[in-house]
Amino acid sequence: MKQEQTELEMYIEKLRSHKAKMTPQRIEILNIFLANKAEHFTAEDIINRLEDSKTGQATVYRTLELFCNVGILKKVNFTDDEFTHYDLMDLAQHFHHHLICNSCHKVVEINDDLLESVEAIVSRDYHFNVQNHELILRGICHACQEGQPDE
Amino acid sequence: MKQEQTELEMYIEKLRSHKAKMTPQRIEILNIFLANKAEHFTAEDIINRLEDSKTGQATVYRTLELFCNVGILKKVNFTDDEFTHYDLMDLAQHFHHHLICNSCHKVVEINDDLLESVEAIVSRDYHFNVQNHELILRGICHACQEGQPDE
DNA sequence: ATTACTGCAAACTATTTGCAGCCTC
DNA sequence: GAGGCTGCAAATAGTTTGCAGTAAT
């Protein structure tokens, strides 16, 4: 009587609830994101990591699109490059925020819910009912401030 | 002895300080943004508005890129569509935030500096020196809550 | 006069799509 | 067994680029 469920299974369940079929290609791509939660892959990144498999690039694009619709991934735009990046959604919590260093360009994720007070203000002053938020803070990270740009 | 300066002149000065030449095409594009401050045009929007002039589309793209480098425009990504949008930077103040309605898709700008406390927390807990920020809040606007989707 | 800017059209490139066959359910 | 999914290759479309002529300083 196991209550437990691997993370992979949780995401698969989410896919099933959207009537999506489970194929080896989809599992493979999902696993790449699960094994690299701090990364923000592009479609091309995924294609490169699948070099050994026979998965076609059209499938990668279609899968990423599917995962976004289902709520497994989220498109993020770090407007510095021209590519669409994908960020794994944590099924349990609010979308996280990003700190981007203008010096070493490292992207750090933070999960604190920093915006509760902001949402309260917007709700009060603009009568806007907030459902989700995206926050990007750009600046200089600790390492770069100390003159030790990330190796 | 006029101290005053039109907004257009202020932006032109900014261009001059970057050694950019002032051409009719650049003034024309700048004026479109100045006359529609609440809009977030795409390159194509601008090209359409220049239909009557002979300005080529390559010039539009090159001009938008220049304006971004100079700090007159800022690329914004409302990840719902595949286009790059450009937002006029207010030369005086911090970059503003966006409220996007998930129902009528209207984009509202707000200028309140809502993030001072957030920046303080990030600075303290992550030793991250914030230089700029981008915040997008998605939800339901007042009109849609009342069942009166935009006009 | 010098040098940057423009317009045209061709080139690029990330992403999408049509279709025949395959695989999951 | 049926319908969604895949792979291939061709198509699409937003953006970039080369170049010769033009215009701003």
Side-chain angles (χ1 to χ4, degrees):
Chain A
M1 202 160 293
K2 53 192 297 228
Q3 281 268 334
E4 286 165 42
Q5 205 179 16
T6 67
E7 255 192 316
L8 180 59
E9 285 166 341
M10 285 171 55
Y11 285 100
I12 289 178
E13 193 138 307
K14 191 145 192 169
L15 279 169
R16 278 196 213 293
S17 74
H18 284 253
K19 298 172 200 143
K21 291 185 178 171
M22 289 315 306
T23 64
Q25 293 89 338
R26 289 175 181 181
I27 306 252
E28 202 175 9
I29 292 172
L30 188 47
N31 271 324
I32 292 175
F33 280 95
L34 283 172
N36 301 277
K37 292 189 188 169
E39 299 289 331
H40 307 86
F41 294 121
T42 63
E44 206 188 355
D45 291 334
I46 299 298
I47 291 166
N48 289 337
R49 289 185 174 242
L50 292 175
E51 250 177 7
D52 300 327
S53 92
K54 283 181 288 299
T55 306
Q57 63 170 32
T59 300
V60 172
Y61 281 103
R62 283 186 281 226
T63 300
L64 294 176
E65 186 64 25
L66 170 70
F67 285 6
C68 285
N69 291 337
V70 167
I72 287 178
L73 295 179
K74 182 169 188 331
K75 290 185 187 179
V76 290
N77 275 289
F78 303 141
T79 46
D80 302 296
D81 68 24
E82 66 276 33
F83 300 93
T84 301
H85 294 252
Y86 296 86
D87 199 348
L88 186 66
M89 295 284 277
D90 191 313
L91 295 180
Q93 65 195 15
H94 249 176
F95 190 63
H96 50 257
H97 309 301
H98 294 112
L99 305 181
I100 305 181
C101 180
N102 284 328
S103 174
C104 67
H105 300 104
K106 192 168 60 173
V107 178
V108 175
E109 309 203 338
I110 60 178
N111 287 308
D112 298 11
D113 199 345
L114 302 167
L115 297 182
E116 279 178 351
S117 63
V118 171
E119 292 185 6
I121 293 170
V122 170
S123 173
R124 188 191 64 207
D125 295 350
Y126 295 86
H127 305 289
F128 189 89
N129 175 18
V130 177
Q131 295 178 332
N132 210 338
H133 51 239
E134 305 165 28
L135 173 64
I136 295 176
L137 296 172
R138 294 179 192 273
I140 306 297
C141 73
H142 193 215
C144 287
Q145 286 173 48
E146 311 259 292
Q148 301 153 3
D150 196 30
E151 70 255 44
Chain B
M1 202 161 293
K2 54 193 295 229
Q3 282 270 331
E4 288 165 40
Q5 204 178 18
T6 67
E7 256 193 315
L8 179 60
E9 284 166 343
M10 286 171 56
Y11 285 100
I12 288 178
E13 193 139 304
K14 190 145 193 169
L15 278 169
R16 279 196 212 291
S17 73
H18 284 253
K19 298 170 201 146
K21 290 185 178 170
M22 288 316 306
T23 64
Q25 293 89 338
R26 289 175 180 179
I27 306 249
E28 201 175 11
I29 292 171
L30 188 46
N31 271 326
I32 291 176
F33 280 96
L34 284 172
N36 301 276
K37 292 189 187 168
E39 299 289 332
H40 307 87
F41 293 121
T42 63
E44 207 190 354
D45 291 334
I46 300 297
I47 291 167
N48 289 338
R49 288 184 175 243
L50 292 174
E51 250 178 6
D52 300 328
S53 92
K54 282 181 288 299
T55 306
Q57 63 170 33
T59 300
V60 172
Y61 281 103
R62 283 186 281 227
T63 300
L64 294 176
E65 187 65 25
L66 170 70
F67 285 6
C68 285
N69 292 336
V70 167
I72 288 179
L73 294 179
K74 181 169 191 328
K75 290 186 187 179
V76 290
N77 275 290
F78 303 140
T79 45
D80 303 296
D81 68 25
E82 65 275 33
F83 300 92
T84 301
H85 294 253
Y86 297 85
D87 200 347
L88 186 67
M89 295 283 277
D90 190 314
L91 295 179
Q93 65 194 15
H94 248 175
F95 189 62
H96 49 256
H97 310 300
H98 293 112
L99 305 181
I100 304 181
C101 180
N102 284 329
S103 174
C104 66
H105 301 104
K106 192 168 59 175
V107 178
V108 174
E109 308 203 338
I110 59 178
N111 286 310
D112 298 11
D113 200 344
L114 302 167
L115 297 182
E116 279 178 350
S117 63
V118 171
E119 292 184 6
I121 293 170
V122 170
S123 173
R124 188 192 61 205
D125 295 349
Y126 295 86
H127 306 288
F128 189 89
N129 175 18
V130 177
Q131 295 177 331
N132 209 338
H133 51 240
E134 305 165 29
L135 173 64
I136 295 176
L137 296 172
R138 293 178 193 274
I140 306 297
C141 72
H142 193 215
C144 287
Q145 286 173 48
E146 311 258 292
Q148 301 153 2
D150 201 27
E151 79 249 43

